[in-house]
Amino acid sequence: MIRKAKRTELIEVAQGRRPADLVIQGGMVANVYSGEFLRQNVAIYQDTIAYVGEKDVAVNDETIIMDASGMYVSPGFIEPHAHPWVFYNPVSMTKKALSLGTTTTVNDNLFFYLHLGADGFKQLVRDLQTMPGNFFWLVRLVSQADFPGERDWFQPKEIQALLFMDEVAGTAEVTRWPLLYEGDPFLMETIEIAKKIGKIVDGHTAGCSYDKLNSIAASGVDACHEAITAKEALDRLRLGMWTTLRNSSLRPDFPEIIRLITEGRVNTQRITMTTDGAHPSFIEKEGFVDGLIRKAVELGVPPMTALQMATINAATYLRLDDQIGGIAPGKLADIVLLPDLTTFKPTFVISKGTLIAQDGQLLTPFPEIKWNKYATKKPFLFPKEQLADERLYCYPHLSAHRSVPVVSLKSNVITERRDVVLPSVNGYADLSKSEGLLYASLIARDGQWVAKAILDRFAVNLDGMASTYNTTTELLVIGKSPKAMAIAAQRVHEMGGGVVVVDHNEIVVEIPLPFTGMMTIDDSFEAAVRYHDQLLHALQKRGFPFHDILYTLLFLTCDFLPGLRLIPYGLYDVKRNDILLPAQLLSDCLLQH
């Protein structure tokens, strides 16, 4: 972090020999280092705290005096594990986060790297540094779903070069954690580099047993946010991992997992919290890190402990505690003024010494980002007319006497296999008399291949939809009507990415996501909320039985969660590591009769 204030100037302000730029008087300072609430004054010079104590400091006519009487003065909140691509984009997410008191976010770069490559990602990082707040990155070592050419794209030398950037805090979660369990040299080489240069190694160990966690910890993983029970969280804590408690739209786990603290009474110094890429409407309703603190306190965590987990603990984990995470001389002036210790909704938000938000409203301008300038790939490399062929969406089935493996959703993201006997018409499975079964096709944006499946419990009356919002960012097309599916697919192609729902061959939902196929380019967080609500309502009206449509779409095409998955290699049985129906060359599919 580059700071404006010189150390010698801070010394002069602390000694009263130089006037402060901003003084916060009369508030109750949350000292997250000692665990005390102390009535003190805070003096800020340029972007840095110079003095914390009871005396008055030197001021002049230009000094801003803030009366914090009746308020609590807390360090700015820190989100150590953000995904700034859940319909919202880095700018719109940061606007929302800052208005709610989160002055630092640490962000997964997956889809930025997938679509922009190393050079485009570097340029984006540089441009986003002009935003208020602190915006850090974690860089992926591999994708969330293996694909042809993955290891050529995720070049270790390029990723290792990214690790040396000041804005990069470390490596991002490896969702396919068995690769780490097996000591995959492709990953271990870069993890070793991260360790040598003092960067963190974030983790993802969903479903990992205690014994297997030993190997993951030995691989160098520093933290995990995937515990869903208090016992799982304790397992990670006991093995030396930073344990990040999650409460998100997909996994609202706090009521169970917070028992680690309220009942287990463990040492909380290595515990942090995350929203883990919650969907826009969840954040709008529940808040960002402020919501995590609020929920933790509601469930019995002492306010100081909750504040520590969201500030100094996160900063220490990130190895940034010499700069952020607390209110002390020499630290960046990231401060929130809270009216109480129940809502944790800040009245004022200060970032790097500048007042940037008041009562949830931003007071400072944001840079205008020209998203299209970073792209290294065209959205689609084949003509949209090819998507009109209904054979792309039909599941091959030659014999009515043989069953077909069906992807049945048990929850938003967990699936199981069902074997269903279906009629065969012209060499394809006939779903016309099977209520609730839908065709699904994953089509490569470069026009090379198509993978197919049949879904159950996704929706009932869905004629057609198409979405680039999924783990692969390829074109995912779902529905019971191949004609409607074709209409949806062609419209997404025209938009360059997004989500389209078609009913009776008419488009009823259209959500443009031109940036990587995952994000709106609107810098308004409200736009992402509106799009999310529109999509969820439309799908639930058509029989979607769950609550988080974005994560259903996202993880249907991953290769690390239980059940059947539709991935670039075909219909995949994760537990058996078996391709049930291989992907087909797109050209071959279009030649079939």
Side-chain angles (χ1 to χ4, degrees), residues 84-105:
W85 34 252
V86 187
F87 273 18
Y88 43 73
N89 58 56
V91 172
S92 59
M93 186 199 76
T94 301
K95 282 185 171 183
K96 187 66 174 180
L98 280 170
S99 73
L100 297 173
T102 298
T103 54
T104 300
T105 58

Side-chain angles (χ1 to χ4, degrees), residues 156-233:
K157 288 185 178 179
E158 290 187 339
I159 293 169
Q160 290 163 19
L162 295 177
L163 284 172
F164 283 90
M165 298 177 67
D166 291 339
E167 300 86 353
V168 173
T171 69
E173 59 183 323
V174 177
T175 53
R176 292 140 62 188
W177 59 261
L179 294 174
L180 295 175
Y181 181 77
E182 295 159 3
D184 189 316
F186 186 83
L187 301 179
M188 296 310 303
E189 175 188 343
T190 303
I191 288 175
E192 289 288 4
I193 296 293
K195 291 292 185 180
K196 286 180 181 178
I197 63 176
K199 299 295 177 85
I200 65 168
V201 177
D202 200 9
H204 173 117
T205 57
C208 190
S209 68
Y210 180 85
D211 284 341
K212 289 183 177 179
L213 276 171
N214 276 267
S215 297
I216 302 301
S219 76
V221 168
D222 292 307
C224 180
H225 59 281
E226 286 294 334
I228 62 175
T229 67
K231 181 184 182 304
E232 288 182 356

Side-chain angles (χ1 to χ4, degrees), residues 80-131:
H81 184 91
H83 298 285
W85 34 252
V86 187
F87 273 18
Y88 43 73
N89 58 56
V91 172
S92 59
M93 186 199 76
T94 301
K95 282 185 171 183
K96 187 66 174 180
L98 280 170
S99 73
L100 297 173
T102 298
T103 54
T104 300
T105 58
V106 183
N107 302 277
D108 178 358
N109 83 328
L110 175 59
F111 298 110
F112 306 97
Y113 185 85
L114 273 175
H115 283 264
L116 312 184
D119 291 339
F121 174 64
K122 287 177 186 176
Q123 183 60 54
L124 176 65
V125 170
R126 287 191 289 266
D127 290 348
L128 290 176
Q129 286 306 305
T130 60
M131 291 193 301

Side-chain angles (χ1 to χ4, degrees), residues 13 18-23 43-46 57-60 62-64:
V13 174
R18 178 185 289 267
D21 291 330
L22 172 64
V23 178
I44 297 167
Y45 181 74
Q46 294 189 357
V57 297
V59 299
N60 61 17
E62 296 180 357
T63 302
I64 299 171

Side-chain angles (χ1 to χ4, degrees), residues 15 170 180 550:
Q15 296 174 1
L180 295 175
L550 296 190

Side-chain angles (χ1 to χ4, degrees), residues 26-310:
M28 192 69 73
V29 173
N31 191 312
V32 294
Y33 303 107
S34 65
E36 302 171 282
F37 290 102
L38 304 170
R39 191 171 302 282
Q40 294 178 318
N41 300 324
V42 180
I44 297 167
Y45 181 74
Q46 294 189 357
D47 57 354
T48 307
I49 298 167
Y51 174 81
V52 181
E54 297 180 4
K55 77 171 187 179
D56 294 327
V57 297
V59 299
N60 61 17
D61 292 342
E62 296 180 357
T63 302
I64 299 171
I65 308 292
M66 295 185 69
D67 183 3
S69 300
M71 289 189 278
Y72 294 87
V73 183
S74 167
F77 309 145
I78 300 172
E79 168 56 88
H81 184 91
H83 298 285
W85 34 252
V86 187
F87 273 18
Y88 43 73
N89 58 56
V91 172
S92 59
M93 186 199 76
T94 301
K95 282 185 171 183
K96 187 66 174 180
L98 280 170
S99 73
L100 297 173
T102 298
T103 54
T104 300
T105 58
V106 183
N107 302 277
D108 178 358
N109 83 328
L110 175 59
F111 298 110
F112 306 97
Y113 185 85
L114 273 175
H115 283 264
L116 312 184
D119 291 339
F121 174 64
K122 287 177 186 176
Q123 183 60 54
L124 176 65
V125 170
R126 287 191 289 266
D127 290 348
L128 290 176
Q129 286 306 305
T130 60
M131 291 193 301
N134 307 307
F135 202 83
F136 290 94
W137 294 92
L138 298 174
V139 295
R140 290 278 185 145
L141 306 182
V142 288
S143 184
Q144 287 191 165
D146 191 8
F147 61 87
E150 178 194 29
R151 297 208 168 191
D152 292 329
W153 188 252
F154 283 84
Q155 278 287 337
K157 288 185 178 179
E158 290 187 339
I159 293 169
Q160 290 163 19
L162 295 177
L163 284 172
F164 283 90
M165 298 177 67
D166 291 339
E167 300 86 353
V168 173
T171 69
E173 59 183 323
V174 177
T175 53
R176 292 140 62 188
W177 59 261
L179 294 174
L180 295 175
Y181 181 77
E182 295 159 3
D184 189 316
F186 186 83
L187 301 179
M188 296 310 303
E189 175 188 343
T190 303
I191 288 175
E192 289 288 4
I193 296 293
K195 291 292 185 180
K196 286 180 181 178
I197 63 176
K199 299 295 177 85
I200 65 168
V201 177
D202 200 9
H204 173 117
T205 57
C208 190
S209 68
Y210 180 85
D211 284 341
K212 289 183 177 179
L213 276 171
N214 276 267
S215 297
I216 302 301
S219 76
V221 168
D222 292 307
C224 180
H225 59 281
E226 286 294 334
I228 62 175
T229 67
K231 181 184 182 304
E232 288 182 356
L234 184 58
D235 285 346
R236 286 152 178 77
L237 199 61
R238 284 173 169 169
L239 289 173
M241 290 184 178
W242 285 85
T243 303
T244 306
L245 307 184
R246 174 177 56 190
N247 203 61
S248 71
S249 57
L250 178 62
R251 296 285 336 178
D253 290 329
F254 263 21
E256 159 59 26
I257 203 170
I258 213 75
R259 293 174 48 242
L260 174 73
I261 300 169
T262 57
E263 297 178 16
R265 304 191 182 281
V266 298
N267 186 315
T268 59
Q269 287 185 323
R270 291 177 68 85
I271 298 177
T272 63
M273 301 186 289
T274 183
T275 58
D276 193 19
H279 68 57
S281 300
F282 183 90
I283 293 172
E284 185 68 23
K285 180 182 178 182
E286 300 291 338
F288 207 63
V289 175
D290 61 300
L292 298 174
I293 302 170
R294 182 165 53 251
K295 190 70 172 179
V297 171
E298 286 176 3
L299 292 169
V301 175
M304 174 56 73
T305 302
L307 285 172
Q308 287 171 324
M309 291 192 296

